Amino acid sequence: MTTFDRLLEPITVGGLTLPNRLLMTPMGTELGTLDGRSTPAEAAYYAARATGGTGLVMTGINFVSGTFDPIAPGLARIDTDEHTPGIRAIADAVHAAGGLLALQLTMGLGRNNQYCQSQGMEPRSSSDNTWFFDPTVMCKPLSVDEIGQIIKDTGEAARRAAEAGVDMIDVHGHTGYLVDQFMSACWNRRTDQYGGSVENRCRFAAEVVAAIKQSAPGLPVSFRISVNHRFAGGRTFEETQLIVKELERVGVDLLICDDGSYEAMDYVFPPYYLGDDCMASAAESVKAVVSIPVVACGNITPANGESILARGGADMIGIGRGLIADPDIIVKIEAGRPDRIRPCIRCNQLCTGNAFNGKAIGCAVNPQVAHELDRLITPAATPKRIAVVGAGPAGLEVARVAGLRGHTVDVYEREDRIGGVLFPAATPDFKRELHKMIDWWAGELAELPSVTLHLSHPIVASSAELDTADEIIVATGSEPVVPAIDGIDKPIVMGVIQAHTGATPGHRVVVCGGGLSGSDLALELAEAGHEVTIVEMLEQIAGDMIFLNRTSLLRSLDEHHVTVLTCRRVVRVNDSSVVVLGPDGESTLACDTVVAAFGVRPANKLGAELTARGLRVHPVGDCTEPRKVGDAINDAYELALAL
């Protein structure tokens, strides 16, 4: 069993002693006002991570200026003195919880600022680079005087941060944002003092660090850097190792190392396809060439973080989305209960997905995120007997929260296991965090004496078990759509769930349907050595996925030689082939197995029958409308609070 001796060990960074080696990596919250001021909800969000024992809580980006880089409504700012009280409220809340706060400052997004057109501004950069969101638009290079103004604005922002009481300041220097554009040869073609040599390309970053240190004396300065941009022509470690040495020379106290860029966006917010520790090599390579502390991040679990620290791959571990999913990581480790840490399933649905859509941060597995002040689990005024039909994500979450509130809960599941649709979905190795989520619910319910699980126990409308229930929760999930296709009932055909749970597909597999379930199964089979083709009637597969995840999925499918046929409709299944109709007419795909992945529909029959009996029924989850797992969990949480 992992002991976490290294993770729990204190560390001193630039004179500031941290109680342990867990750092909450920065992520925007969208919890502020339209003019970028912090709110009590945001302060409570950060304070919860401090209460959970995190060694250093770091905020998402705070713009130091909007003069040359547009600041979209709702994004955090520290460009005026009027914004200082909000930052002070966060610092006070974190300190009151016993934590330490780092504030991330951004000098701008440069060519990656998506709001230029909507805000009526010209995109700016280190050189005349293309604007990421429209390569036909060229960025105007910042002049030396304009660079000087940004440096001055950074110093003013650092002064405000110090006045607000923060403990460390982080420089937003990764992902190809403005500072990165200056440091990187691929984006910096200047011939003045800010271009050319490594020292010159780092001059902007060096002056940023100097301005912070001058305006906020005594505060350590961290720097987040992309070690490998992960695209052809982007920066690799050979260039980065010279840059990090220069950053150490100019006074940076801590390096937070990751990979990625907008050209490889999935590495910025790595989905489950990238697996564990997908950027640990970034920190390890940097640690070999600098003497200041280095932070590793990127799909790192606490146990894996302990291993990285133990082998000397980093000095600290950065966890972002994992601390969104469970703010109490350190508290649970210190209590000897690391098994009770709620896992991040790396879906990006309500954290990153919300941020990219201008919505407040949320979490698929932790419905209290951004609602630390109002979604509190409190004792029920009148304890009730509650029957939950279905032990999928929605049913399990209702049972957990209702049990915590003091209700007596009986959960009835027709299968011999819990998890519902998560169980078959979790069979690919790249989705193993879903299995951990099922295990987490099992552990939580096992500690609630008022909750009883009844497995292999189907419920019908006339079941006597429901007669004594005060409330009935129907969480029966969804059922496969089986279209009327000639030959769909042939032995060659199996469903997605069958393919995940014991059926043996042949070598050549045609997956009919390119939604998330079909695409993930195709990747799983291809990784296992099958020859796989996806047939999809729409113009693209996995069209409803968040683009970060889809980027990884498409690359992985390509790497494993999965054939993707879009704009094609399955018209017939033969004994050893599938006939599809596409733009060029009919074609026949020889195969050994056909997987039906045509989608799902609500399994709402039981709910309708119980309602017809006059019973008090609350449908929740996919039986109301098939959506993402995070929607089911959040809806179930709110339902349980209302019981």
Side-chain angles (χ1 to χ4, degrees), residues 260-517:
S261 56
Y262 269 39
E263 286 75 6
M265 181 67 81
D266 53 327
Y267 276 90
V268 182
F269 306 99
Y272 47 74
Y273 298 109
L274 295 184
D276 287 351
D277 311 337
C278 57
M279 296 182 283
S281 60
E284 196 159 6
S285 61
V286 168
K287 185 168 169 54
V289 299
V290 299
S291 59
I292 56 177
V294 171
V295 182
C297 55
N299 282 359
I300 298 177
T301 64
N304 288 359
E306 178 68 19
S307 298
I308 292 169
L309 294 173
R311 70 170 183 257
D315 301 287
M316 294 187 69
I317 298 302
I319 295 179
R321 292 167 300 167
L323 276 164
I324 296 173
D326 195 330
D328 299 322
I329 289 176
I330 292 296
V331 164
K332 290 178 179 179
I333 287 174
E334 289 177 334
R337 302 296 308 278
D339 59 311
R340 302 311 327 128
I341 295 172
R342 177 167 30 200
C344 167
I345 60 175
R346 303 168 183 172
C347 65
N348 283 329
Q349 180 192 351
L350 300 177
C351 51
T352 305
N354 279 10
F356 273 100
N357 289 303
K359 299 178 182 178
I361 193 169
C363 180
V365 300
N366 181 2
Q368 285 185 288
V369 169
H371 293 278
E372 284 79 7
L373 294 176
D374 59 279
R375 280 190 185 173
L376 304 178
I377 298 177
T378 56
T382 305
K384 299 178 179 180
R385 293 195 63 86
I386 297 174
V388 178
V389 184
L396 292 170
E397 184 67 1
V398 165
R400 181 185 76 88
V401 178
L404 287 171
R405 297 191 63 218
H407 295 298
T408 298
V409 185
D410 287 281
V411 183
Y412 300 98
E413 170 56 50
R414 66 183 179 182
E415 303 290 343
D416 62 356
R417 52 166 173 77
I418 66 171
V421 71
L422 286 192
F423 186 85
T427 56
D429 186 61
F430 53 79
K431 279 186 157 182
R432 59 185 173 273
E433 296 303 311
L434 292 180
H435 261 308
K436 292 181 182 179
M437 191 66 205
I438 296 171
D439 293 340
W440 181 81
W441 268 312
E444 292 292 299
L445 297 186
E447 295 185 358
L448 292 171
S450 64
V451 177
T452 304
L453 278 172
H454 305 270
L455 300 179
S456 301
H457 196 127
I459 292 291
V460 296
S462 59
S463 293
E465 293 90 336
L466 306 181
D467 293 344
T468 58
D470 300 308
E471 308 277 357
I472 300 172
I473 312 300
V474 176
T476 45
S478 59
E479 56 190 19
V481 171
V482 183
I485 294 173
D486 185 23
I488 197 68
D489 56 348
K490 286 183 176 292
I492 194 177
V493 180
M494 65 176 64
V496 172
I497 292 178
Q498 289 175 277
H500 278 306
T501 55
T504 305
H507 177 67
R508 298 171 303 169
V509 180
V510 173
V511 178
C512 301
L516 176 58
S517 60

Side-chain angles (χ1 to χ4, degrees), residues 47-71:
R49 278 77 203 159
T51 300
T54 306
L56 182 65
V57 175
M58 186 171 286
T59 72
I61 62 173
N62 289 264
F63 279 79
V64 304
S65 172
T67 304
F68 309 112
D69 221 325
I71 307 175

Side-chain angles (χ1 to χ4, degrees), residues 617-637:
V617 177
H618 305 275
V620 67
D622 282 1
C623 69
T624 63
E625 178 187 1
R627 293 183 295 161
K628 300 288 193 301
V629 64
D631 298 316
I633 294 172
N634 276 260
D635 288 352
Y637 183 96

